[in-house]
């Protein structure tokens, strides 16, 4: 009878420890199963490969890390995918920057003008500067052209007589030729600038019309104030 009591006490003392050890073992086994993994990737020949260790090219080729149940635990992008993602992100940033810049330009446009007539007036003022530059260059070009004609006539007369052309006359002719070329460039440059001014204000006017129409539609759709 005493032996049975000792066995009972021994069982009561030992059973909790045995249960605890068994629980730890189960948890360790479960933990090992949860972390057991394998890798899936596509090789250079386009074939799907599986292995418990990743290839040396895993960072370049990309792939998936799988659990023993076949579920994707983590995915590694390929080098091409990372490059494409970076390009998409850069493109998104570029688009956002353009949108922000356009929004700033729109605010400035609507703050500067209240009517399309004001845009036309600003265009005419911008064109006036180039018109004056062209008129001045054309007036000077006529005088230079007349001087060139006279100088060339003198050179031709001297050459017909078989006499040498003086250095002074040659210098005058070269200077007049350079000035004529510069004046032609000034006229062409200002005409090109005038065309750009017209295009700019035409675009501003079209954008102003669009924004004004959008503002009117928004105002028309807004509920009346009480």
């Amino acid at each position: 009878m005493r032996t049975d009591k000792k066995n009972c006490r021994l069982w009561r003392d030992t059973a909790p420890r045995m249960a605890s050890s068994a629980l730890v073992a189960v948890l360790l086994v479960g933990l090992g199963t949860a972390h057991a993994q394998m890798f899936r990737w596509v090789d250079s020949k386009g074939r799907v490969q599986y292995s418990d260790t990743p290839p040396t090219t895993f960072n370049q080729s990309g792939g998936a890390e799988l659990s023993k149940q076949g579920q994707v635990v983590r995915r590694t992008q390929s080098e091409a995918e990372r490059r494409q993602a970076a390009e998409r992100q850069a493109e998104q940033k570029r688009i956002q920057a353009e949108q922000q810049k356009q929004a700033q330009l729109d605010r400035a446009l609507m703050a500067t003008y209240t009517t399309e007539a004001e845009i036309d007036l600003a265009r005419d003022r911008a064109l006036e500067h180039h018109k004056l530059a062209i008129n001045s260059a054309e007036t000077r070009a006529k005088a230079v052209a007349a001087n060139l004609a006279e100088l060339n006539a003198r050179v031709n007369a001297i050459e017909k007589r078989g006499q040498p052309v003086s250095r002074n006359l040659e210098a005058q002719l070269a200077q007049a030729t350079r000035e004529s070329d510069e004046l032609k460039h000034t006229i062409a440059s200002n005409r090109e600038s005038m065309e750009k001014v017209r295009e700019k204000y035409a675009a501003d006017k079209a954008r102003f019309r669009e924004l004004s129409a959008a503002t009117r539609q928004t105002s028309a759709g807004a509920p009346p104030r009480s």
Side-chain angles (χ1 to χ4, degrees), residues 16-33:
R17 289 195 296 269
M18 292 176 62
S20 178
S21 299
L23 179 60
V24 171
V26 170
L27 290 175
L28 289 174
V29 171
L31 184 62
T33 301

Side-chain angles (χ1 to χ4, degrees), residues 8-219:
C8 289
R9 286 196 298 271
L10 181 60
W11 172 253
R12 286 195 300 269
D13 295 338
T14 306
R17 289 195 296 269
M18 292 176 62
S20 178
S21 299
L23 179 60
V24 171
V26 170
L27 290 175
L28 289 174
V29 171
L31 184 62
T33 301
H35 283 76
Q37 59 189 6
M38 65 187 312
F39 298 88
R40 181 184 65 197
W41 71 96
V42 179
D43 63 16
S44 59
K45 296 181 179 180
R47 296 175 300 189
V48 179
Q49 301 288 351
Y50 293 88
S51 176
D52 56 354
T53 56
T56 56
T57 60
F58 194 70
N59 286 332
Q60 287 76 31
S61 63
E65 183 179 335
L66 309 175
S67 67
K68 285 297 184 180
Q69 290 75 27
Q71 297 176 343
V72 176
V73 177
R74 184 175 59 184
R75 190 178 184 282
T76 300
Q77 288 184 327
S78 66
E79 186 174 340
E81 289 174 328
R82 291 194 295 270
R83 183 169 58 252
Q84 291 173 357
E87 290 175 354
R88 287 193 299 270
Q89 185 176 10
E91 179 65 12
Q92 291 175 354
K93 288 183 179 180
R94 185 190 66 80
I95 293 174
Q96 290 176 354
E98 287 185 354
Q99 291 175 343
Q100 292 175 355
K101 182 179 179 180
Q102 185 60 54
Q104 292 175 351
L105 292 174
D106 289 344
R107 288 193 294 270
L109 182 66
M110 300 305 290
T112 303
Y113 306 108
T114 58
T115 63
E116 294 183 21
E118 291 180 357
I119 299 178
D120 292 337
L121 183 61
R123 178 203 60 203
D124 294 340
R125 285 198 298 264
L127 290 172
E128 188 64 25
H129 165 73
H130 298 291
K131 288 180 180 178
L132 292 174
I134 291 173
N135 291 336
S136 176
E138 287 177 340
T139 301
R140 178 59 185 167
K142 290 179 181 179
V144 172
N147 185 36
L148 270 174
E150 181 184 352
L151 292 171
N152 282 319
R154 291 171 58 186
V155 169
N156 291 333
I158 293 172
E159 290 177 344
K160 284 181 180 180
R161 293 195 299 267
Q163 298 176 349
V165 179
S166 66
R167 293 184 178 180
N168 182 43
L169 184 56
E170 288 179 344
Q172 291 180 40
L173 182 62
Q175 181 179 357
T177 301
R178 286 195 301 271
E179 185 178 3
S180 177
D181 292 338
E182 291 174 356
L183 290 168
K184 290 177 182 178
H185 178 268
T186 298
I187 294 170
S189 177
N190 278 277
R191 286 175 177 169
E192 182 180 353
S193 297
M194 288 180 69
E195 190 61 29
K196 291 180 179 179
V197 167
R198 293 188 182 97
E199 292 175 356
K200 174 189 179 301
Y201 282 93
D204 286 348
K205 192 173 181 179
R207 185 60 178 168
F208 179 86
R209 190 178 294 124
E210 292 176 2
L211 295 173
S212 298
T215 301
R216 287 193 297 270
Q217 290 178 358
T218 302
S219 301

